[in-house]
Amino acid sequence: MPEELTQACGGHSSPVRRPAMVPYITQWSGEEVAPRPKMVMRRGRIAFADERPYDRDSRGVLWARTPCQPGKGRPQFGLVHPLRQRNAVERLLCQVCGGPADRDADGVLWLLTDEPTDEPTEEPGTPADAGSEDVVTEHPPLCLPCARIAVTACPRLRRDFTAVRVRALEQAGVRGALYRPAAPRPVPVDAVSVAFDDPVVDWVRAGKLLLRLTEFRPVSLDTAVPATGT
């Protein structure tokens, strides 16, 4: 993997120099928010005191405001940049290099694990239906070269993974900080996963977009063929 990669933040690209294996969605120390925007209650939901149009998505969900400066400082491997994660999920970009995810006639390439998923339900925090065959994930897809590197470089994937081709999916909700009304300002109370049609979403500051994978089949990374034209 080349050291110089093109990073996209909200659809705008800028080349940055960085270590070879820092995923596109990883947050950097130079992107830390200080101070955080002041939270207020406005029109029956949480809001930033100095809210701007791009602080909310097309559904009206409030998103964490984080500077987008990939390559500045040190990579924070335990943290995911909200805007780049959302951008990768919405546009089906590879979570490692930021380019188009691998796609062929069987669908888009994903790596799944047996770790618990955060199923958005009518009651945040309620476990998913044990009989459901769908998979809810916060992880974007991958291109084939990055997938092959990731399964050897990522400790979680080294333990266990399943490669799948996804043919049908939908945006399921968001994961973020849940707030409750309080004086003088709303206060955070929990980290939750919430569906878009749940009224609780008005009290969540989103940090990750969730996808529901509804039609997929396992494949082998050893025999998979890169999709042409990607």
Side-chain angles (χ1 to χ4, degrees):
M1 185 180 300
E3 292 185 356
E4 184 164 308
L5 299 174
T6 298
Q7 299 301 295
C9 286
H12 299 285
S13 299
S14 59
V16 296
R17 195 141 186 101
R18 64 175 197 174
M21 268 308 293
V22 180
Y24 165 73
I25 61 174
T26 296
Q27 186 165 310
W28 292 72
S29 60
E31 297 175 317
E32 294 176 355
V33 179
R36 291 188 178 276
K38 181 183 296 185
M39 304 298 296
V40 298
M41 295 177 287
R42 185 182 297 135
R43 300 185 183 93
R45 61 185 184 180
I46 59 168
F48 294 142
D50 61 342
E51 191 168 309
R52 306 160 189 171
Y54 55 78
D55 285 326
R56 296 186 184 271
D57 61 22
S58 60
R59 292 182 173 88
V61 177
L62 184 69
W63 278 81
R65 186 190 295 171
T66 307
C68 192
Q69 298 176 305
K72 183 176 181 181
R74 302 178 307 279
Q76 309 290 292
F77 289 105
L79 301 178
V80 172
H81 190 277
L83 179 57
R84 290 196 293 277
Q85 186 272 352
R86 175 179 158 198
N87 189 45
V89 168
E90 289 181 335
R91 299 175 58 195
L92 298 182
L93 302 179
C94 174
Q95 61 174 283
V96 176
C97 69
D102 194 78
R103 185 194 298 263
D104 64 13
D106 291 322
V108 181
L109 180 64
W110 242 277
L111 296 181
L112 305 179
T113 72
D114 289 334
E115 294 181 1
T117 57
D118 290 307
E119 176 83 6
T121 64
E122 290 300 320
E123 298 181 7
T126 301
D129 180 1
S132 173
E133 295 182 357
D134 297 348
V135 171
V136 175
T137 182
E138 66 188 40
H139 301 293
L142 297 99
C143 69
L144 186 55
C146 288
R148 287 172 170 162
I149 294 174
V151 297
T152 61
C154 174
R156 176 174 56 86
L157 293 175
R158 283 203 303 267
R159 290 194 300 269
D160 181 69
F161 76 91
T162 301
V164 298
R165 290 284 184 180
V166 180
R167 300 189 64 178
L169 54 85
E170 62 186 15
Q171 294 183 12
V174 295
R175 179 161 181 79
L178 175 66
Y179 284 72
R180 65 171 175 81
R185 295 189 298 273
V187 295
V189 293
D190 200 1
V192 297
S193 297
V194 184
F196 287 120
D197 59 358
D198 189 333
V200 173
V201 77
D202 287 338
W203 293 91
V204 172
R205 187 192 69 218
K208 296 175 181 176
L209 179 61
L210 303 179
L211 283 183
R212 187 187 305 276
L213 312 182
T214 59
E215 185 179 342
F216 53 90
R217 71 174 186 86
V219 296
S220 170
L221 289 182
D222 295 331
T223 60
V225 179
T228 60
T230 61

